[in-house]
């Protein structure tokens, strides 16, 4: 357990420096959580009290359209943050699902604790501001990719960006993330 | 000019409260800028020293694909923040263009000033954290919309979300934002 907290501290200190005293204060808000493959972190229509930092494992965030088809919004692996951010921030029921593709371990952080943390340790507010900014940038690039790139370009960029992911995720899910059919993906992988 | 700063203060105070002394300190970092229709706020391959808050007017952020086709990432109108956030945050050349659809007025905020502001007035860090969070949520919903919705659903949602925009933006641009052809859009509007 101790080493999980060490990982989290290292992750935070990539952006801001914390004294040992600050870290002791900060770390108490992060609660450890473990889920098996196929278990849910977030379920549609339910409350989303926390956001999650992934210690180990892999999750997918997805929506199901009116035809029952799954569309993947995000794959999150080690050191990623995930939740239904809209539901979390606005304390409304979830509109997406997040489940585990592998057995996974997390730290969860509740909204009231996040707010208290940012008020008490302003550096943490800076940390989350910059993280959120990077998340925004990544999503902007995903939108551009969806608007401008061919299926082949999207697949090649994903390999470049997340080479590990390709080996850990079934083809069907990669297709649902890239917004292409499984047949197109098989052709690209060949 | 005074009233523009009052608008900005009101915008910031929707999220955090500032004393008059804090506001005097904060406001000095925001520089007024005015551009005519068709002028550029951000140009591809150039440096992006600032982010922009729109006092009045309307801008569009877009990429041009390898076939010369324009794809619109964001429309930004009154009280929106806009820039090439990737280029801005990482101080690399822009990969998109942002130009004015109408004569527009802005406040610009440079990266070094943003960072100083957040360090000196931690509440401002909270402000930008929460703003960035909302931006992230909006982009996530746009991705879901691109993955799951039909052209008609996307158009109807845009009308609901930004009714004013529809009247101010040519059909061709709306189509480039929605990722549909102009013919499809004309059919939807009919």
């Amino acid at each position: 357990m101790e080493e999980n907290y060490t990982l989290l501290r290292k992750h935070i200190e990539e952006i801001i420096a914390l004294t040992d005293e600050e870290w002791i204060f900060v770390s108490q808000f992060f609660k450890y959580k473990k889920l098996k493959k196929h278990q849910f972190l977030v379920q549609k229509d339910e409350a989303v009290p926390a956001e999650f930092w992934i210690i180990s494992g892999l999750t997918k965030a997805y929506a199901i359209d009116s035809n029952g088809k799954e569309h993947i919004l995000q794959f999150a692996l080690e050191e990623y943050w995930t939740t239904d951010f809209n539901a979390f921030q606005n304390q409304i029921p979830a509109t997406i699902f997040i489940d585990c593709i592998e057995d996974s371990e997390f730290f969860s952080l509740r909204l009231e604790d996040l707010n208290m943390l940012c008020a008490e340790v302003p550096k943490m507010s800076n940390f989350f501001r910059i993280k959120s900014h990077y998340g925004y940038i990544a999503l902007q690039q995903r939108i551009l990719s969806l608007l401008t790139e061919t299926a082949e370009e999207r697949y090649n960029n994903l390999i470049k960006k997340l080479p590990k992911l390709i080996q850990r995720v079934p083809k069907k899910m990669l297709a649902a993330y890239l917004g292409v059919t499984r047949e197109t993906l098989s052709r690209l992988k060949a």
Side-chain angles (χ1 to χ4, degrees), chain A:
Chain A
M1 180 55 65
E2 194 52 36
E3 71 194 69
N4 293 334
Y5 278 98
T6 307
L7 282 174
L8 176 61
R9 180 171 181 176
K10 198 172 145 274
H11 170 74
I12 294 170
E13 292 206 314
E14 280 167 14
I15 293 184
I16 55 156
L18 294 171
T19 64
D20 287 345
E21 287 70 25
E22 284 169 338
W23 170 243
I24 288 166
F25 179 79
V26 166
S27 62
Q28 68 181 318
F29 294 104
F30 290 88
K31 306 296 177 207
Y32 178 82
K33 188 182 175 83
K34 195 173 178 168
L35 291 177
K36 292 271 180 205
K37 185 174 169 172
H38 300 309
Q39 280 192 294
F40 286 89
L41 205 51
V42 167
Q43 297 200 68
K44 188 170 180 281
D45 298 328
E46 293 191 3
V48 181
E51 62 178 333
F52 306 93
W53 185 75
I54 302 181
I55 301 164
S56 70
L58 178 60
T59 67
K60 68 175 205 290
Y62 59 101
I64 295 183
D65 70 18
S66 48
N67 299 317
K69 203 181 155 211
E70 191 176 305
H71 300 274
I72 297 179
L73 199 55
Q74 185 202 27
F75 289 114
L77 28 78
E78 288 80 14
E79 303 199 19
Y80 274 59
W81 292 87
T82 193
T83 195
D84 179 336
F85 287 101
N86 188 23
F88 171 67
Q89 184 73 47
N90 298 311
Q91 297 285 286
I92 56 174
T95 58
I96 58 172
F97 297 90
I98 303 179
D99 66 9
C100 299
I101 301 177
E102 302 171 356
D103 294 352
S104 304
E105 294 174 290
F106 311 90
F107 281 121
S108 71
L109 179 64
R110 298 175 66 89
L111 184 64
E112 59 266 37
D113 290 341
L114 168 65
N115 289 334
M116 190 197 289
L117 199 52
C118 290
E120 297 287 326
V121 187
K123 278 188 284 190
M124 286 303 293
S125 181
N126 256 324
F127 169 77
F128 285 109
R129 174 176 68 85
I130 290 166
K131 271 287 157 195
S132 178
H133 213 121
Y134 284 131
Y136 184 92
I137 290 166
L139 291 188
Q140 234 182 15
Q141 291 179 325
R142 176 111 184 266
I143 289 174
L144 269 186
S145 153
L146 284 169
L147 287 173
T148 68
E149 291 175 357
T150 63
E152 186 173 359
E153 286 169 331
R154 268 183 251 164
Y155 179 67
N156 289 336
N157 285 342
L158 188 64
I159 294 177
K160 232 185 290 171
K161 226 180 70 184
L162 288 171
K164 273 190 222 162
L165 190 72
I166 310 289
Q167 291 137 33
R168 288 164 69 178
V169 170
K171 275 185 204 177
K172 194 181 146 190
M173 288 182 196
L174 282 183
Y177 177 83
L178 293 168
V180 301
T181 63
R182 197 173 164 177
E183 292 67 36
T184 304
L185 189 68
S186 295
R187 194 171 43 74
L188 293 175
K189 292 185 81 164

